[in-house]
């Protein structure tokens, strides 16, 4: 039997230590995972679990929930128990919630030492509790909440400042022989963020959680995250990612998965190869591409569908794809696996492509 070759990647993963976030491995021996964060009040248990279920269905690997108050901390045990994917409690100000989250069975806890006063006094107990419960930690350094001492030294949140903070915080855990943590050094400027992660990657073998913080609304945030994550992942840097968008969290997961698929760090699922159209187009390519994309949404098999506007590149691309159309003169030539199977009138192109895609998907095991 022929062994399917793994698709090429731009660089091997940087070698890191391995940690676990519940059942999900984070580190160079595990696939890059995708995270998101709930937007519901954590105390609204049903709404939070509903959102976690939606995130799970969209392909999210790990979910983070905010824990700003005692009431939030008090419901973590229910959420951690009922969530289908590992839950990380996000804690900024109160070390006591860290202990509650660990005891609640959260898979991991995110701490922001820059925001936790007297953090260093508590590290020993946090490390002991986390070790006893098999809980991992994320040290989440953020440009907006750098330790005052480091801000005074660097003047602003430079890559060097972010990294100095992260390395110092890592050393506090390592002094207590605790190593099950990953680090993030987030900034809203992709250039600063990329440089910070590059510097951090040289300083230790910690698994890294990538994020451009406050990346903005969906369009801008998608571009910023894709640019920054692409620059890092193409060097093998990054073990888990969170796209931050001012948009529903399911959108963050879709973007994160698409970034990984584009870099061959995840198996590509449905891929629409459509031309941008030009003065030669003999059909409305935008509408055709949108209708085919909408008609095939949710398909989970790797299928490449080409939607091309004319006969210049159309037949070539359509032939290379699993399925495709090359349009022209009010008709579409439908290609399946490189062969023209039929020519249909323009108004039947979408329906024919969807029908053929479903047939191919069924052959590939899509249920
Ligand atoms: Fe233009 Fe044809 Fe190329 Fe589409 S396939 S961009 S219509 S030349």
């Amino acid at each position: 039997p022929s062994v399917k070759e793994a698709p090429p990647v731009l660089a091997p993963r940087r070698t890191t230590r391995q940690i676990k976030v519940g059942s999900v491995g984070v580190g160079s021996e595990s696939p890059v995972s995708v995270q998101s964060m709930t937007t519901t009040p954590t105390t609204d248990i049903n709404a939070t679990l509903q959102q976690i279920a939606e995130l799970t269905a969209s392909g999210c690997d790990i979910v983070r929930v905010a824990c700003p108050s005692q009431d939030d901390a008090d419901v973590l045990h229910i959420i951690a128990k009922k969530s289908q994917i590992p839950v990380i409690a996000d804690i900024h100000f109160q070390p006591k919630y860290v202990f509650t989250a660990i005891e609640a069975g959260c898979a991991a806890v995110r701490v922001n030492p820059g925001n936790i006063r007297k953090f260093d006094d508590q590290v020993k107990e946090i490390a002991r509790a986390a070790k006893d419960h098999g809980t991992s930690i994320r040290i989440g350094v953020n440009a907006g909440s750098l330790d005052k001492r480091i801000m005074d030294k660097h003047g602003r949140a430079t890559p060097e400042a972010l990294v100095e903070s992260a390395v110092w915080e890592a050393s506090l855990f390592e002094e207590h022989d605790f190593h099950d943590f990953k680090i993030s050094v987030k900034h809203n400027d992709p250039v600063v963020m990329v440089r910070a992660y590059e510097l951090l990657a040289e300083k230790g073998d910690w698994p890294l959680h990538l994020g451009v913080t406050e990346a903005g609304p969906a369009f801008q945030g998608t571009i910023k995250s894709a640019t920054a994550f692409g620059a890092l992942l193409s060097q093998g840097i990054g073990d888990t990612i969170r796209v931050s968008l001012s948009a529903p969290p399911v959108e963050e997961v879709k973007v994160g998965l698409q970034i990984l698929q584009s870099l061959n760090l995840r198996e590509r699922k449905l891929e629409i190869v459509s031309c941008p159209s030009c003065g030669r187009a003999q059909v409305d390519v935008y509408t055709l591409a949108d209708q085919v994309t909408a008609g095939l949404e949710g398909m989970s098999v790797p299928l490449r569908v080409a939607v091309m506007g004319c006969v210049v590149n159309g037949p070539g691309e359509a032939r290379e794809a699993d399925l495709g159309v090359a349009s022209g003169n009010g008709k579409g030539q439908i290609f399946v696996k490189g062969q023209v199977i039929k020519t249909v009138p323009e108004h039947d192109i979408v329906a024919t492509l969807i029908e053929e895609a479903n047939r191919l998907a069924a052959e590939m095991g899509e249920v």
Side-chain angles (χ1 to χ4, degrees):
S2 68
V3 179
K4 208 175 153 203
E5 237 181 81
V9 291
L10 289 166
R13 296 271 297 282
R14 157 184 166 266
T15 304
T16 73
R17 68 180 73 153
Q18 315 303 313
I19 69 163
K20 287 287 228 181
V21 176
S23 56
V24 178
V26 176
S28 50
E29 285 172 18
S30 301
V32 180
S33 47
V34 173
Q35 308 198 12
S36 185
M37 188 163 177
T38 51
T39 55
T40 49
T42 304
T43 46
D44 188 342
I45 298 169
N46 286 341
T48 302
L49 287 170
Q50 173 62 33
Q51 201 171 51
I52 292 176
E54 288 163 14
L55 286 166
T56 307
S58 71
C60 185
D61 299 305
I62 298 168
V63 67
R64 190 153 44 105
V65 300
C67 185
S69 74
Q70 187 64 51
D71 288 346
D72 297 295
D74 289 343
V75 300
L76 287 175
H77 67 284
I78 304 173
I79 291 170
K81 191 158 173 232
K82 295 204 168 164
S83 169
Q84 305 90 326
I85 51 177
V87 172
I88 303 181
D90 189 75
I91 294 163
H92 275 269
F93 296 106
Q94 290 278 4
K96 66 178 177 183
Y97 303 158
V98 176
F99 297 101
T100 312
I102 290 171
E103 275 152 29
C106 289
V109 179
R110 180 272 170 107
V111 293
N112 179 350
N115 268 348
I116 298 184
R117 269 179 290 136
K118 301 224 177 98
F119 175 77
D120 20 343
D121 302 345
Q122 306 254 357
V123 173
K124 189 174 175 191
E125 284 94 76
I126 293 175
R128 185 184 303 139
K131 208 180 263 183
D132 287 350
H133 288 80
T135 313
S136 58
I137 300 272
R138 165 156 71 97
I139 297 175
V141 177
N142 205 310
S145 50
L146 270 183
D147 192 76
K148 185 175 175 312
R149 180 176 58 83
I150 289 174
M151 276 305 262
D152 288 346
K153 177 174 166 192
H154 293 268
R156 62 199 162 84
T158 60
E160 291 75 16
L162 292 163
V163 170
E164 184 176 326
S165 176
V167 170
W168 169 66
E169 287 151 20
S171 75
L172 295 179
F173 279 104
E174 286 166 347
E175 271 167 25
H176 297 293
D177 200 26
F178 185 82
H179 304 276
D180 292 338
F181 60 89
K182 57 194 165 89
I183 306 182
S184 60
V185 279
K186 296 193 183 183
H187 197 286
N188 61 38
D189 181 330
V191 174
V192 177
M193 176 271 192
V194 168
R195 194 67 202 118
Y197 278 97
E198 286 172 343
L199 283 175
L200 186 59
E202 289 168 8
K203 302 228 181 258
D205 69 346
W206 312 288
L208 300 181
H209 163 120
L210 303 187
V212 175
T213 191
E214 294 108 28
F219 175 74
Q220 178 188 290
T222 297
I223 306 281
K224 276 191 173 184
S225 301
T227 309
F229 295 4
L232 290 164
L233 292 166
S234 64
Q235 304 176 60
I237 299 173
D239 304 290
T240 183
I241 62 172
R242 193 262 170 121
V243 173
S244 301
L245 301 178
S246 306
V250 164
E251 298 304 312
E252 300 183 343
V253 174
K254 284 191 199 165
V255 173
L257 288 169
Q258 189 65 56
I259 292 170
L260 296 182
Q261 288 178 30
S262 299
L263 293 167
N264 281 342
L265 294 169
R266 281 280 172 119
E267 185 181 39
R268 293 187 187 182
K269 303 287 185 186
L270 176 68
E271 193 178 358
I272 307 286
V273 180
S274 58
C275 82
S277 188
C278 75
R280 295 183 200 90
Q282 292 169 335
V283 289
D284 177 354
V285 179
Y286 303 161
T287 304
L288 208 54
D290 280 349
Q291 288 178 343
V292 173
T293 305
L296 298 180
E297 199 186 341
M299 193 165 264
S300 64
V301 290
L303 195 71
R304 201 173 147 94
V305 182
V307 179
M308 304 293 290
C310 80
V311 292
V312 173
N313 294 321
E317 287 288 358
R319 210 170 270 129
E320 287 290 307
D322 297 301
L323 170 66
V325 61
S327 317
N329 285 335
K331 288 183 234 151
Q333 270 188 322
I334 306 292
F335 287 76
V336 173
K337 303 281 179 195
Q339 304 294 326
V340 178
I341 58 151
K342 60 177 121 171
T343 300
V344 297
E346 189 177 329
H347 57 83
D348 283 342
I349 291 175
V350 173
T352 309
L353 284 176
I354 291 171
E355 188 187 318
E356 289 300 324
N358 284 326
R359 197 179 54 73
L360 286 173
E363 281 175 22
M364 293 161 98
E366 171 104 355
V367 283

